[in-house]
Amino acid sequence: MAGSALKRLMAEYRQLTLNPPEGIIAGPVSEENFFEWECLITGPDDTCFGNGVFPAKIAFPTDYPLSPPKMQFLCELFHPNIYPDGRVCISILHTPGDDPTGYESSAERWSPVQSVEKILLSVVSMLAEPNDESAANVNAAKMWREDRKQFEQIADRLVRKTLGLPLTATS
């Protein structure tokens, strides 16, 4: 099973290098380990995450693409769909099939037709448009709904931190 997963990951990596999505760099940590990738994601323009550069890792199971990978940001991010430890909570990364809570349809969840590129583009979209109804970080979701200005100030401070910029007096 790991052999077919490796072939698939190599093909997806080749595709990403030939036609990289704007604002995303991703690839295996090493040639010896195609099951762990590192990536840099640029925050979407015209959002409070714009201009930020966010490092993350993706860990692929040996039965990929039958099972979804796990993704985790390696920097501090305050976002409704990112756990405080950086793990990403997004439908496309949830186990295939019916959602036991009934919140997501099976079409929204992982499917072997998904790809690394689709995952990364979905995460960029999630940064721009959080789903505060299905929060991994309840405090961020509550602030997103109730005090957008404060949420954006926290996001701006963390964006500046990822870039190594000094924090402003309002951050």
Side-chain angles (χ1 to χ4, degrees):
M1 181 70 73
S4 59
L6 178 60
K7 285 180 189 170
R8 167 81 179 253
L9 288 168
M10 291 173 83
E12 288 192 41
Y13 177 61
R14 193 173 320 110
Q15 182 61 36
L16 275 174
T17 56
L18 294 174
N19 190 17
E22 188 175 331
I24 297 171
I25 299 171
V29 172
S30 71
E31 289 183 22
E32 290 78 37
N33 184 4
F34 258 78
F35 289 89
E36 189 164 326
W37 288 30
E38 53 194 359
C39 41
L40 289 173
I41 297 174
T42 303
D45 291 338
D46 302 323
T47 72
C48 56
F49 298 101
N51 300 319
V53 179
F54 308 106
K57 68 178 180 178
I58 304 174
F60 296 90
T62 55
D63 67 345
Y64 179 80
L66 299 177
S67 296
K70 295 186 182 331
M71 184 171 178
Q72 182 174 17
F73 281 99
L74 303 175
C75 62
E76 189 178 357
L77 262 174
F78 188 69
H79 188 281
N81 307 115
I82 300 172
Y83 288 98
D85 68 359
R87 287 177 296 132
V88 175
C89 180
I90 189 171
S91 300
I92 194 173
L93 293 177
H94 293 165
T95 307
D98 292 328
D99 179 3
T101 65
Y103 180 77
E104 300 167 333
S105 75
S106 60
E108 296 174 292
R109 296 167 71 87
W110 178 257
S111 152
V113 301
Q114 305 296 358
S115 65
V116 176
E117 180 179 10
K118 288 178 185 173
I119 293 166
L120 294 169
L121 291 172
S122 294
V123 168
V124 170
S125 178
M126 174 202 77
L127 287 173
E129 298 175 29
N131 177 359
D132 62 358
E133 298 296 318
S134 177
N137 184 328
V138 176
N139 292 334
K142 187 174 188 312
M143 192 177 296
W144 171 261
R145 278 192 302 267
E146 298 173 6
D147 191 348
R148 188 71 56 92
K149 184 177 180 187
Q150 185 181 5
F151 178 92
E152 290 176 354
Q153 287 174 339
I154 292 171
D156 181 65
R157 180 178 53 80
L158 295 174
V159 164
R160 294 180 72 76
K161 189 174 176 181
T162 70
L163 298 172
L165 297 173
L167 302 180
T168 62
T170 60
S171 305

